């Protein structure tokens, strides 16, 4: 979920691109991608709420994020395309700052941001993909590699897909598979660290510097995670069919298997059968989130696009999701592109989402210490959500505007407002600029 406007474009693309030499006796073959294309994207995202998982289901969820990215697609020859996608996401989070709520200048409080190192982070990702199309353009296969990193997490991924077109390209079937091998560098709530194996418990400097109120015999359930890996394996398909000149449909499905450390190490849990302990206004954790080390997910969905006339198009979407943690969800959305001129199109949209709670979720101070698994992460709770959006797209048909040898092909701007049936709210603004290499220069 992340979007915003970008103001500076830096594109470094080297190497000569030459058209494929063709024998005069052969049939002309249209290139899959005529020229190098560059997409410059950026987003701004902000959220707030009162159910922070870092502080056990209560406290501020305030977060802001700015995420620029650039995608370069290069035609290697008539059949092959290489794409490089680089992303950076820089966030500031009042919620995650309370991993250590005692390093700020004021009193520790779950509804007040701390000022420590955990209040911000940078996520970086690079994805490279290669695709090859057959001579008749009815078969396409692709392969991809990805690397992602942030302070406490590293991910390596790879995968591929195969697409087959039938029925004079009116029918399309795609099969895909991906693997992600991730590694945690676990960060635990600050007050729990002295209770790890070999720690000094209540003799630690934290408890000598601050007085505990409430239950002064603070004795949490805590041990560090032994397994620090998380692996994800996914298989998917998509099927699309042109039904008539005005109607197109598609079906899609995914199966995902996750295993390893699926708990978030810095998310606190409070038990109803344990007396509360506090330092200042902050309740000390009774434990950290504990979730099963496997999760199986299944999602199926469909799209239906209907061309009303030269001005209006209807784009409908529905998806059903279920997993073995007890969550079932329904997503339905409608977008109505409105072409107001040859260059400008408007995109009003609406999205509805509902889900059941995970078997292991309970609100703040509702779990029992005798349970095997527990979380108070409201992303795993029962909720409904509505999202309203509006966008505008500008298409420069003749790519008149240039930066160096790149002509502007399109500009896209979008805004979305997201609201759950709780205190959680989010706003997203995104912008994108597509440039193509001018082959005439």
């Amino acid at each position: 979920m992340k979007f915003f406007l970008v103001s500076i474009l830096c594109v470094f693309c080297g190497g000569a691109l030459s058209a494929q030499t063709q024998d005069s006796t052969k049939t002309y073959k249209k290139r899959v991608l005529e020229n190098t294309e560059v997409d410059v994207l950026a987003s701004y995202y902000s959220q707030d709420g009162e159910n922070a998982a870092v502080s056990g289901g209560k406290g501020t969820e305030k977060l802001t994020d700015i995420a620029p990215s650039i995608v370069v697609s290069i035609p290697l020859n008539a059949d092959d395309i290489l794409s490089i996608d680089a992303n950076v996401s820089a966030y500031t989070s009042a919620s995650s700052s309370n991993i250590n709520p005692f390093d700020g200048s004021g009193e520790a409080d779950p509804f007040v941001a701390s000022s420590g190192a955990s209040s911000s982070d940078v996520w970086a990702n690079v994805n490279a993909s290669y695709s090859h199309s057959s001579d008749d353009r009815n078969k396409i296969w692709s392969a991809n590699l990805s690397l992602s990193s942030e302070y406490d997490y590293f991910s390596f991924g790879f995968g591929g897909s195969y697409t087959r077109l039938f029925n004079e390209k009116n029918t399309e079937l795609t099969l895909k598979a991906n693997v992600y091998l991730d590694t945690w560098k676990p960060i635990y709530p600050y007050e729990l660290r002295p209770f790890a194996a070999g720690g000094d418990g209540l003799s630690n400097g934290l408890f000598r510097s601050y007085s505990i109120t409430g239950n002064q015999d603070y004795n949490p359930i805590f041990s560090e995670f032994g397994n620090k890996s998380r692996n994800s394996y996914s298989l998917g398909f998509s099927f699309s069919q042109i039904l008539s000149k005005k109607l197109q449909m598609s079906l899609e499905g995914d199966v995902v298997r996750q295993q390893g450390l699926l708990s978030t190490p810095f998310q606190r849990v409070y038990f109803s059968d344990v007396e509360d302990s506090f330092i200042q206004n902050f309740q000390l954790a009774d434990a950290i989130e504990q979730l099963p080390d496997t999760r199986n997910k299944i999602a199926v969905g469909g799209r239906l696009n209907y061309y009303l006339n030269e001005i209006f198009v209807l784009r409908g979407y529905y998806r059903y999701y279920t997993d073995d943690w007890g969550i079932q969800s329904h997503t339905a959305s409608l977008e109505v592109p409105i072409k107001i001129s040859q260059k400008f199109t408007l995109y009003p949209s609406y999205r509805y989402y509902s889900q059941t709670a995970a078997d292991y979720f309970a609100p703040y101070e509702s779990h029992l210490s005798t349970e095997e698994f527990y979380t108070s992460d409201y992303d795993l709770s029962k909720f409904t959500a509505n999202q309203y959006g509006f966008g505008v797209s500008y298409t420069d048909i003749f790519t008149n505007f240039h930066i160096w040898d790149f002509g502007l092909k399109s500009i896209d701007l979008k805004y979305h407002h997201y609201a759950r049936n709780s205190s959680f709210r989010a706003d997203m603004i995104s912008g994108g600029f597509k440039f193509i290499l001018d082959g005439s220069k």
Side-chain angles (χ1 to χ4, degrees):
M1 314 177 162
K2 303 177 178 176
F3 315 90
F4 196 40
L5 302 177
V6 72
S7 57
I8 300 176
L9 166 65
C10 294
V11 179
F12 298 92
C13 181
L17 301 176
S18 59
Q20 178 177 332
T21 304
Q22 300 211 12
D23 192 293
S24 59
T25 61
K26 293 183 179 180
T27 303
Y28 170 75
K29 180 167 61 174
K30 182 178 175 64
R31 298 171 68 89
V32 177
L33 183 65
E34 292 293 337
N35 297 294
T36 296
E37 294 187 353
V38 178
D39 289 281
V40 180
L41 311 168
S43 67
Y44 173 80
Y45 171 85
S46 68
Q47 69 173 49
D48 204 354
E50 299 178 349
N51 301 115
V54 172
S55 44
K58 69 172 185 176
T60 178
E61 296 178 85
K62 190 173 184 179
L63 178 148
T64 59
D65 179 271
I66 296 177
S69 64
I70 185 169
V71 182
V72 181
S73 300
I74 306 170
L76 302 178
N77 51 48
D79 303 324
D80 303 315
I81 300 173
L82 175 65
S83 294
I84 306 294
D85 183 357
N87 307 270
V88 175
S89 174
Y91 74 82
T92 301
S93 171
S95 173
S96 67
S97 73
N98 282 324
I99 294 173
N100 180 3
F102 312 109
D103 59 358
S105 57
E107 289 197 346
D109 191 298
F111 291 96
V112 177
S114 181
S115 57
S118 58
S119 64
S120 62
D121 198 2
V122 175
W123 171 84
N125 166 262
V126 176
N127 184 78
S129 63
Y130 169 82
S131 67
H132 172 78
S133 298
S134 62
D135 288 341
D136 60 6
R137 303 295 185 249
N138 286 329
K139 295 182 285 292
I140 306 167
W141 67 265
S142 68
N144 61 272
L145 291 173
S146 69
L147 292 173
S148 301
S149 179
E150 56 186 314
Y151 180 75
D152 62 340
Y153 206 79
F154 178 81
S155 176
F156 169 69
F158 58 91
S161 67
Y162 177 76
T163 299
R164 186 76 167 89
L165 286 84
F166 307 91
N167 190 26
E168 297 182 348
K169 295 182 172 57
N170 289 318
T171 306
E172 181 177 313
L173 177 64
T174 297
L175 302 175
K176 59 183 179 180
N178 287 284
V179 175
Y180 293 95
L181 307 175
D182 306 339
T183 303
W184 281 94
K185 179 185 175 182
I187 300 174
Y188 301 102
Y190 190 73
E191 70 272 24
L192 293 180
R193 298 172 196 176
F195 295 91
D200 50 0
L202 290 176
S203 299
N204 182 263
L206 170 68
F207 304 108
R208 293 199 306 268
S209 301
Y210 296 94
S211 298
I212 297 177
T213 59
N215 177 21
Q216 297 183 10
D217 297 322
Y218 179 56
N219 186 27
I221 299 173
F222 177 66
S223 60
E224 296 182 346
F225 290 111
N227 183 5
K228 298 178 176 62
S229 66
R230 172 188 291 181
N231 299 334
S232 302
Y233 311 92
S234 67
L235 293 173
F237 81 92
S238 63
F239 171 82
S240 66
Q241 176 67 50
I242 297 175
L243 301 175
S244 69
K245 291 182 178 180
K246 293 188 174 184
L247 187 62
Q248 180 181 7
M249 60 81 68
S250 66
L251 299 173
E252 57 191 44
D254 292 281
V255 177
V256 178
R257 165 77 172 183
Q258 290 183 300
Q259 60 186 43
L261 179 51
L262 305 185
S263 306
T264 303
F266 51 76
Q267 295 188 169
R268 295 174 173 87
V269 171
Y270 301 109
F271 298 125
S272 61
D273 57 344
V274 173
E275 188 179 352
D276 300 340
S277 299
F278 293 86
I279 289 180
Q280 297 174 347
N281 297 322
F282 199 92
Q283 185 174 348
L284 305 180
D286 293 332
I288 56 173
E289 177 180 85
Q290 297 287 335
L291 292 169
D293 58 6
T294 62
R295 188 179 187 182
N296 298 308
K297 309 177 183 180
I298 298 175
V300 292
R303 300 179 185 274
L304 196 63
N305 299 337
Y306 184 72
Y307 176 85
L308 285 174
N309 51 45
E310 293 182 354
I311 299 177
F312 296 99
V313 177
L314 301 178
R315 295 177 179 173
Y317 173 74
Y318 171 78
R319 188 187 79 149
Y320 171 75
Y321 165 92
T322 185
D323 64 31
D324 58 357
W325 285 9
I327 292 180
Q328 297 184 41
S329 73
H330 301 271
T331 305
S333 67
L334 178 65
E335 184 180 62
V336 186
I338 304 171
K339 193 173 183 65
I340 60 176
S341 73
Q342 192 174 25
K343 292 186 175 182
F344 287 95
T345 304
L346 305 180
Y347 292 90
S349 64
Y350 170 73
R351 177 181 179 269
Y352 173 80
Y353 177 83
S354 69
Q355 75 170 38
T356 60
D359 296 336
Y360 318 113
F361 170 82
Y364 164 73
E365 285 207 327
S366 297
H367 282 292
L368 296 175
S369 60
T370 54
E371 296 175 16
E372 180 181 7
F373 300 116
Y374 33 79
T375 179
S376 293
D377 183 349
Y378 273 69
D379 286 344
L380 300 178
S381 69
K382 178 182 179 180
F383 68 87
T384 60
N386 295 279
Q387 179 175 290
Y388 305 89
F390 185 80
V392 59
S393 174
Y394 168 80
T395 302
D396 189 343
I397 302 172
F398 301 106
T399 61
N400 291 319
F401 178 78
H402 282 75
I403 295 180
W404 301 309
D405 292 338
F406 289 87
L408 177 65
K409 185 175 181 180
S410 65
I411 301 175
D412 292 285
L413 303 174
K414 290 186 177 180
Y415 167 76
H416 292 93
H417 175 73
Y418 173 89
R420 294 182 184 175
N421 61 334
S422 64
S423 62
F424 188 90
R425 300 289 184 272
D427 293 282
M428 297 153 278
I429 303 173
S430 66
F433 301 80
K434 181 184 286 290
F435 294 86
I436 61 172
L437 183 65
D438 191 338
S440 65
K441 290 183 176 293

